[in-house]
Amino acid sequence: MSDQDRLIIFDTTLRDGEQSPGASMNLAEKLEVAHALKDLGVDVIEAGFPIASPGDFEAVQAIAQQVEGPIICGLARCNPEDIDRAWEALRAASRPRIHVFLATSAIHREFKLRMAKEEIIRRAIEGVERAKSHCEDVEFSPEDASRTELDFLAEVVERAIEAGATTVNIPDTVGYAVPFQYAAVIRHLKQTVRGIDKAVISVHCHNDLGLAVANSLAALKEGARQVECTINGLGERAGNCALEEIVMAVKTRADYFGVQTTISTRRLCPTSRLVSHVTGIQVQRNKAVVGQNAFAHEAGIHQDGMLKERTTYEIMRPEDVGLSKTELVLGKHSGRHALRERIAALGYHLDDVQFQQVFEAFKALADRKKTVYDADIEALAEVQIHEGPALWTLESFHTSAGTATLPMAAVCLAHVDGRKVQDAACGDGPVDAVFTTIERITGIKVELRDYQVRSVTVGEDAQGEARVEIEHNGRVQRGQAVSTDIIEASAQAFLQAINRLAMRRQARLNPQTETVSAV
Ligand SMILES: [Zn+2]
C-alpha cells in the first residue's frame, strides 16, 4: 500500500459518540471500548476532551497509558489551558496526537465567538503552534467548515499547515453538506491551498440529513485520506459517519475507490455489539452491515437465488464482518479455558479478577440453565465492565403482586459508607413498587423515560435483560442488568442508573465546559 491509497480510520466513538445523550461511559467501559478499537485495527482513537471534566481527563490518560498501538488523540479548543491539559493527559502515549479546533463559519464567528477573521487566523496559528510545542502530530479542525466561505476556509487551512498541522480536518459539524458540494470543498482546498500535500486531509461528517457516509465517500474521491467515524454511527444528534459502513463501502467497492484500510473487518460485528451493550443504545435491525437483518434474505425469490448462487443477492459475506454462523454453546462442563477463549472472541478484555468473577457467575448460571449462549456470556462480562463505583447496592427485596391485591415491594439497600436502609412502598405493579421504594431510600426522584425487558437467549430458563432510562434535572442515564428473575434484573438496572446519576453529580466539577460544542 502506498500513502496515496491508504485510508486512515480515525475513531471518535469515545469523544463524539460519548457526547450523545445517554451514551456516557465510565472509565472501565471506555477502556473496554478502547481495547476493542485497537483489536479492530483503527489507526487513531480520539479518547476524549480532557478539559471537559476530570472524568474525561482520567479516561484519556488511562487509554494513553494502557492502549498500545493506535495513535491516541485528545481534543482541545484553541487556547493554552485546553491544549496543555490535553497534553498532560496524552503524554504517556507512545503515539500522541493533539486535535485543536476553532469555528470558522460566519455564523459561529459572529454569534458564538464574536471574533473577526484576522482574530480567528491568529488564534488558529497560536493553537497549532502551542500543540506543536508538545507533540509532532497535530490535527486542526475549522469547526463548521462546510458552512465557511471557501476562500476564508482555504486561508485558515493554509495557515494551520504553515504553523505545523499534520492533519487538517474539514468537519461538517451540523450535517448540512451534500455529497457533490462537499466534494467540491475538498477539491477547492486541494487546488488552492499552498502546502496542502504536507498534511493529510480529513473529513468529519454528521448525519443530520442521513448523508454522513455518502459525504465522506465523496470527499475520499477528491483526495481526503482520513475519515472520522464512530461505531454504529453513534454521535451527537443523528450521529456521525458509521465506521462499519465506510469501511465496508471502500472494501466492497475497492474497484471504484482504490483505497485500503487496516481494519480487521471480522471484528466489526463483535465491536458493534460491544459498543451497543456498553452504551445501552441498540442498533436498528435494518442498519447496514451490523444490523440484525443486514444479511437476512427472507423474500422467497431472494432465497431461491441465494441457494443457487449466493452472489446473486449478496455483495458482502456475513463472515467477513464477523457475523458468526454457528453459535458455540457452553455448558456446566465447560472449563476455564473454553470460557476465556469465548470471552476474548466476543471482544472483551477482562483482567484476572474480573475473569474469576465471570467464571464463578458462569458456573452458577450453568447450574440453573442447560445451555449457556454467547449472549449470556456477554451479559455476564458486561456486569464486570459496567461495575462502576456504586453508592448503593441491592441487599435484598421482596415483592407481592397478583389480581385483586395491592402490589407492594420491600427493599433493603446498602450504602457504600456501611449503613443499610430499608423501606417499602406500593405501586401500579411489582416493578413500579420496587422503583418507588428505591427512589425513597436514595432520595433521588427521577422520571422513567424508557423501560424494556427482553429475553437474552431462547428457552424458558433464559435470562431476562432489563434496560431503564431515567431523567433527573435534564440529565439522562441508563442502566441495564440481567437475571433469570426479571424483577431482580429491573431493580438492578434501575439502581445502576441511579448510581450513575449520583456519581456523575459528584464528578462534574467543571460544568461550564458542558455547553461547549465541538467539531
Ligand atoms: Zn462531530
Side-chain angles (χ1 to χ4, degrees):
M1 261 189 283
S2 76
D3 277 359
Q4 267 308 300
D5 51 32
R6 172 87 163 75
L7 177 61
I8 298 165
I9 299 295
F10 177 114
D11 180 279
T12 184
T13 305
L14 292 168
R15 201 279 297 166
D16 209 318
E18 211 251 351
Q19 273 177 304
S20 58
S24 54
M25 302 174 225
N26 66 28
L27 179 61
E29 290 165 345
K30 285 183 184 174
L31 271 167
E32 191 64 36
V33 171
H35 280 294
L37 291 171
K38 179 204 150 180
D39 289 353
L40 179 64
V42 306
D43 298 284
V44 187
I45 295 176
E46 186 164 56
F49 191 178
I51 202 140
S53 74
D56 259 46
F57 178 87
E58 203 190 344
V60 176
Q61 191 174 47
I63 291 167
Q65 286 162 348
Q66 295 174 38
V67 180
E68 196 61 44
I71 293 169
I72 308 298
C73 175
L75 185 68
R77 286 166 297 187
C78 266
N79 67 58
E81 300 75 38
D82 273 43
I83 294 166
D84 295 352
R85 186 81 174 141
W87 175 243
E88 225 182 303
L90 288 167
R91 62 190 317 157
S94 41
R95 301 170 69 203
R97 172 182 294 186
I98 300 176
H99 178 189
V100 291
F101 75 96
L102 181 65
T104 50
S105 64
I107 192 163
H108 280 237
R109 289 197 310 262
E110 197 174 323
F111 295 105
K112 192 175 92 171
L113 300 173
R114 297 181 194 284
M115 283 184 207
K117 286 182 176 176
E118 302 70 42
E119 170 80 353
I120 298 280
I121 290 192
R122 189 180 62 75
R123 291 279 298 270
I125 293 172
E126 283 174 5
V128 171
E129 284 175 346
R130 187 159 191 115
K132 198 75 177 178
S133 73
H134 295 306
C135 82
E136 193 43 47
D137 189 346
V138 174
E139 174 168 334
F140 173 75
S141 287
E143 185 190 353
D144 204 15
S146 56
R147 290 193 298 175
T148 301
E149 307 91 312
L150 267 184
D151 289 342
F152 182 56
L153 180 65
E155 192 181 350
V156 176
V157 166
E158 188 170 302
R159 303 301 293 274
I161 295 173
E162 271 171 23
T166 43
T167 300
V168 283
N169 180 43
I170 310 302
D172 181 24
T173 308
V174 292
Y176 180 72
V178 292
F180 295 115
Q181 170 249 331
Y182 191 60
V185 173
I186 305 297
R187 197 181 317 133
H188 180 80
L189 296 176
K190 267 290 219 198
Q191 286 168 352
T192 58
V193 172
R194 266 172 301 168
I196 191 75
D197 293 332
K198 287 190 221 147
V200 173
I201 300 179
S202 168
V203 290
H204 177 115
C205 297
H206 276 273
N207 207 32
D208 298 69
L209 294 172
L211 293 170
V213 174
N215 286 336
S216 303
L217 288 170
L220 291 191
K221 217 43 193 167
E222 297 296 334
R225 283 296 176 267
Q226 172 177 289
V227 170
E228 304 199 356
C229 46
T230 59
I231 303 294
N232 299 336
L234 218 60
E236 292 206 82
R237 306 182 311 278
N240 284 69
C241 172
L243 182 147
E244 59 278 3
E245 293 178 21
I246 192 99
V247 165
M248 289 315 287
V250 298
K251 184 180 160 89
T252 306
R253 295 306 309 274
D255 62 314
Y256 183 74
F257 290 104
V259 295
Q260 292 179 53
T261 72
T262 53
I263 297 294
S264 313
T265 59
R266 284 163 189 261
R267 301 291 321 153
L268 287 173
C269 279
T271 313
S272 160
R273 274 205 304 271
L274 177 84
V275 168
S276 164
H277 285 305
V278 164
T279 57
I281 297 179
Q282 273 166 342
V283 173
Q284 82 201 48
R285 275 175 177 252
N286 61 329
K287 167 85 173 59
V289 183
V290 295
Q292 205 180 325
N293 289 357
F295 291 91
H297 296 266
E298 295 261 353
I301 187 169
H302 287 198
Q303 276 185 347
D304 180 56
M306 285 284 291
L307 289 172
K308 287 179 180 140
E309 168 55 43
R310 59 189 300 175
T311 53
T312 48
Y313 286 101
E314 201 169 77
I315 60 162
M316 298 175 273
R317 294 182 309 168
E319 51 269 37
D320 288 345
V321 300
L323 205 68
S324 54
K325 280 221 170 98
T326 50
E327 199 176 28
L328 218 101
V329 166
L330 297 180
K332 64 196 287 181
H333 301 296
S334 305
R336 302 174 65 89
H337 184 67
L339 181 66
R340 202 180 262 286
E341 283 205 330
R342 205 64 213 134
I343 287 175
L346 292 169
Y348 291 88
H349 295 75
L350 303 181
D351 62 30
D352 290 343
V353 178
Q354 291 173 322
F355 176 75
Q356 185 55 34
Q357 280 173 340
V358 172
F359 184 65
E360 280 161 24
F362 163 73
K363 282 291 176 192
L365 183 64
D367 275 337
R368 272 190 287 165
K369 196 169 177 296
K370 253 202 317 272
T371 41
V372 179
Y373 297 96
D374 282 355
D376 289 316
I377 296 167
E378 283 174 342
L380 297 178
E382 272 147 37
V383 172
Q384 294 305 316
I385 56 170
H386 283 303
E387 261 335 296
L391 279 187
W392 296 95
T393 45
L394 183 66
E395 278 282 301
S396 60
F397 76 95
H398 173 84
T399 57
S400 62
T403 49
T405 172
L406 200 58
M408 280 171 55
V411 177
C412 177
L413 299 183
H415 192 268
V416 71
D417 67 12
R419 71 200 147 94
K420 289 185 181 171
V421 186
Q422 49 194 7
D423 205 341
C426 304
D428 291 332
V431 171
D432 183 49
V434 167
F435 289 180
T436 306
T437 315
I438 291 175
E439 284 181 322
R440 282 168 61 141
I441 295 175
T442 59
I444 301 177
K445 182 106 184 80
V446 299
E447 193 184 323
L448 187 64
R449 288 183 22 142
D450 194 19
Y451 168 61
Q452 294 176 37
V453 177
R454 66 174 192 108
S455 158
V456 172
T457 55
V458 291
E460 283 167 10
D461 58 357
Q463 296 195 93
E465 179 187 65
R467 288 171 184 250
V468 301
E469 188 175 295
I470 59 176
E471 189 177 336
H472 178 74
N473 289 342
R475 183 167 281 289
V476 176
Q477 277 299 347
R478 290 164 197 266
Q480 68 189 91
V482 288
S483 169
T484 48
D485 173 346
I486 58 162
I487 297 181
E488 187 192 341
S490 305
Q492 294 283 15
F494 188 75
L495 193 57
Q496 185 186 61
I498 292 262
N499 273 323
R500 289 180 152 205
L501 210 82
M503 295 308 294
R504 202 151 177 104
R505 217 158 41 168
Q506 291 183 342
R508 283 275 170 183
L509 304 172
N510 203 355
Q512 79 275 16
T513 53
E514 282 198 62
T515 51
V516 165
S517 63
V519 280

